Amino acid sequence: MIRRSLLTAAAALGLAPPAHAGGEEEEASVSIAGVGLPVIADGRLRNYVFVTLRLHLARGANAAVIRNKDAFFRDALVRAAHRTPFTVADDWTRLDPRTLAAALMQASTRIAGARQVARVEIVSQSPRRRTGVRAS
């Protein structure tokens, strides 16, 4: 009886944790700030595209630990971009988001461990040169 009255009082004062709609937990994510990735076509460097990413973490993943590995994620992405460019064939102002996300998902297994990152979201792409760089 006392416990019930304490829980009722805590809820009335706003001390109880908020109930989520449908019982779902909010998805945790970690942002990776702008990374400059090369656009390479015909063996030549044509442009740079600055990409901002968000890693959506799997349930149970520790966001603080993964946030501390930000530099490792950025390094892996730059290395992958130089090894196999994420270039779109007819446009030097953007990168292929599917290839980029797949490369980062593969690297996330090595960096953070298996099943820590659920998906990768490309938040924005900003090219260094915006005009006159379309392939013909």
Side-chain angles (χ1 to χ4, degrees):
M1 183 69 178
I2 295 173
R3 184 175 10 174
R4 183 177 300 161
S5 61
L6 284 175
L7 289 173
T8 306
L13 292 174
L15 300 176
H20 293 290
E24 295 180 13
E25 289 186 20
E26 189 173 316
E27 186 180 63
S29 64
V30 174
S31 294
I32 296 180
V35 179
L37 300 176
V39 175
I40 300 172
D42 301 325
R44 295 182 57 199
L45 178 65
R46 302 295 183 167
N47 199 6
Y48 280 99
V49 176
F50 296 92
V51 179
T52 304
L53 305 159
R54 182 173 296 127
L55 302 176
H56 293 274
L57 307 181
R59 183 174 294 193
N62 188 344
V65 170
I66 293 177
R67 192 173 295 119
N68 287 337
K69 296 183 180 190
D70 176 69
F72 294 103
F73 283 106
R74 293 166 54 98
D75 181 61
L77 194 57
V78 170
R79 287 176 186 264
H82 282 277
R83 193 171 38 249
T84 55
F86 306 126
T87 306
V88 175
D90 61 344
D91 191 357
W92 297 344
T93 61
R94 62 187 177 94
L95 300 173
D96 183 18
R98 287 188 203 135
T99 311
L100 194 134
L104 194 56
M105 282 297 294
Q106 184 178 14
S108 71
T109 303
R110 287 191 322 271
I111 297 168
R115 294 182 294 250
Q116 295 294 310
V117 177
R119 65 185 176 94
V120 176
E121 176 186 357
I122 310 323
V123 177
S124 68
Q125 294 188 33
S126 300
R128 180 172 176 239
R129 253 190 258 149
R130 298 178 193 277
T131 60
V133 291
R134 298 220 189 266
S136 31

